[in-house]
Structures are given as C-alpha cells and as structure tokens.
C-alpha cells in the first residue's frame, strides 16, 4: 500500500513531469531521424537529466501548536492540579514544601513576559509540563496509598518523609529551571549590549 502510494506521488511529481516532457522531446528527435539507432538512450538520458534538475515538490511544514497555546493548556492543567492537591493533608513540613513548589510553578506560568522566556525554551516547557502533569500527581497519589497501608502496618517508614524527599527533588528541579531561564535572559541582554557596542564602533 505504501509502495503504490509512493509510486503515485512520484508520477504526479514535478520531477516525473519534467522528465516526461524531456522524454517526449527525445521521441520527437527520434521521429525526425536525429537520434539514430541510439534513440532509447537519448530518450532515457533526456528524461533522467530533466528529472534530476527539476526542483523537488514542496512539502508542507507540519502545523505544530503555538508555544503560547501549549502554555495556555498547561495553565489549565495546573489549575486542575491545584484543586486535586487541595485535598491533601500531609505533615506541616511536606505541606510547606508543596506550597513552595506550587508557588514556583505558578510564577513560571505567569501569563506575562515570563511566559515568553519559558516558551522560547522547549526543554523547559517539557520539564514543567512533565512535573505538573505527571510527577506531582504521582507523588500525591502514591502518598495517599502508602499512608493507608502504613495505618495497617504501623512502624514502617512514614509516607510523609518520602513525600518530603520527592517534593524537595522537584523543587530543586524547578529551581534549576528558573536559574536556566534567568541565565538565558541574561545572555540575551548581554548579546544586545554587544550588538549596540559593535554598532557604535562601526
């Protein structure tokens, strides 16, 4: 199926159309007696040469979502996450770290110029998206389950301590992300300063 589709695309391509037109010229030369006994080579050669130099067909660039739209969707998901974790009741230390983490995410998703800096870094968007849509919900869900089991089996390691460690790791990741974005903005400022200095000297 794919082979027949590819063959059909080639038949309709600019390269085949150009080669066919040149091949017809070769046939015309043969009928006029100019090609002699080597007419098949002439026709094939003209076809191949024309197909080779013909411009390739234009391939439509995929229409990927605009970064601003991606962040808008991520903000909606973040609002959903906030409603979900509002029902969590960890110990004060974990609760404090969870609040800090959510505040950091909210600041990064602020729909101002901060979003422009974030949207310019696809890796940063991916990191933040993964944390909001996967990491934090999994931490909270695992905590709920583990806390139930710990009540049946007292004396085991506290689920709150695991949650604290997980949240600390996620906060460190968010902190590194914030630092990287700040440094990117600083480099952008330095680049503009250098540009103005070079323009002033020229």
């Amino acid at each position: 199926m794919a082979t027949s589709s590819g063959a059909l695309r080639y038949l309709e391509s600019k390269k085949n159309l150009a080669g066919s037109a040149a091949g017809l010229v070769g046939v015309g030369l043969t009928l006029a007696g100019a090609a002699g006994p080597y007419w098949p080579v002439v026709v094939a050669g003209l076809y191949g040469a024309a197909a080779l130099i013909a411009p390739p067909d234009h391939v439509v660039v995929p229409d990927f979502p605009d970064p601003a739209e991606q962040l808008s969707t991520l903000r909606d998901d973040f609002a959903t996450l906030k409603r979900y974790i509002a029902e969590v009741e960890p110990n004060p230390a974990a609760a404090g770290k969870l609040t800090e983490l959510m505040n950091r995410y909210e600041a990064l998703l602020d729909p101002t110029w901060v979003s422009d800096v974030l949207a310019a870094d696809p890796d940063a968007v991916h990191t933040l998206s993964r944390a909001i849509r996967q990491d934090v919900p999994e931490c909270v869900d695992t905590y709920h389950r583990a806390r139930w089991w710990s009540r049946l089996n007292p004396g085991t390691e506290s689920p709150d301590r695991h949650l604290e460690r997980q949240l600390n790791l996620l906060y460190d990741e968010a902190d590194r992300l914030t630092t990287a974005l700040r440094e990117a903005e600083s480099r952008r400022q330095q680049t503009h300063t250098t540009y103005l200095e070079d323009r002033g000297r020229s």
Side-chain angles (χ1 to χ4, degrees):
M1 187 72 177
T3 303
S4 61
S5 177
L8 182 61
R9 281 199 303 271
Y10 180 75
L11 288 175
E12 298 173 345
S13 68
K14 291 180 181 178
K15 288 185 174 294
N16 182 54
L17 294 176
S20 297
L24 287 175
V25 172
V27 172
L29 291 174
T30 299
L31 294 176
Y38 301 105
W39 68 269
V41 177
V42 172
V43 173
L46 287 172
Y47 175 90
L52 187 64
I53 64 174
D57 291 331
H58 176 69
V59 180
V60 178
V61 178
D63 185 19
F64 293 115
D66 183 84
E69 293 179 9
Q70 293 183 40
L71 290 180
S72 178
T73 303
L74 188 54
R75 286 188 198 97
D76 293 340
D77 292 341
F78 178 66
T80 301
L81 176 63
K82 286 173 67 176
R83 289 192 295 271
Y84 170 60
I85 66 171
E87 302 180 16
V88 181
E89 297 178 359
N91 65 27
K97 183 55 68 174
L98 185 57
T99 299
E100 287 182 38
L101 181 63
M102 298 302 287
N103 288 341
R104 177 61 61 93
Y105 291 158
E106 190 164 21
L108 288 170
L109 287 171
D110 191 296
T112 58
W113 60 268
V114 177
S115 290
D116 297 335
V117 178
L118 179 62
D121 188 338
D123 289 336
V125 174
H126 172 72
T127 299
L128 190 57
S129 174
R130 181 185 59 198
I132 290 172
R133 292 170 173 158
Q134 178 181 333
D135 295 332
V136 175
E138 186 170 340
C139 288
V140 173
D141 182 61
T142 305
Y143 168 72
H144 273 303
R145 295 170 185 268
R147 187 167 60 172
W148 184 84
W149 283 107
S150 67
R151 289 169 182 166
L152 296 181
N153 189 20
T156 56
E157 187 172 11
S158 169
D160 291 274
R161 292 187 59 191
H162 276 292
L163 180 61
E164 285 177 48
R165 289 205 294 264
Q166 292 168 354
L167 294 175
N168 277 320
L169 290 170
L170 287 173
Y171 188 85
D172 289 345
E173 179 184 66
D175 199 44
R176 290 193 299 271
L177 176 60
T178 304
T179 299
L181 293 174
R182 185 182 67 241
E183 290 175 350
E185 190 71 0
S186 178
R187 285 193 298 270
R188 179 169 174 263
Q189 184 184 33
Q190 181 59 47
T191 299
H192 191 62
T193 300
T194 303
Y195 161 73
L196 292 176
E197 290 173 344
D198 291 343
R199 193 174 72 181
R201 287 193 289 267
S202 61

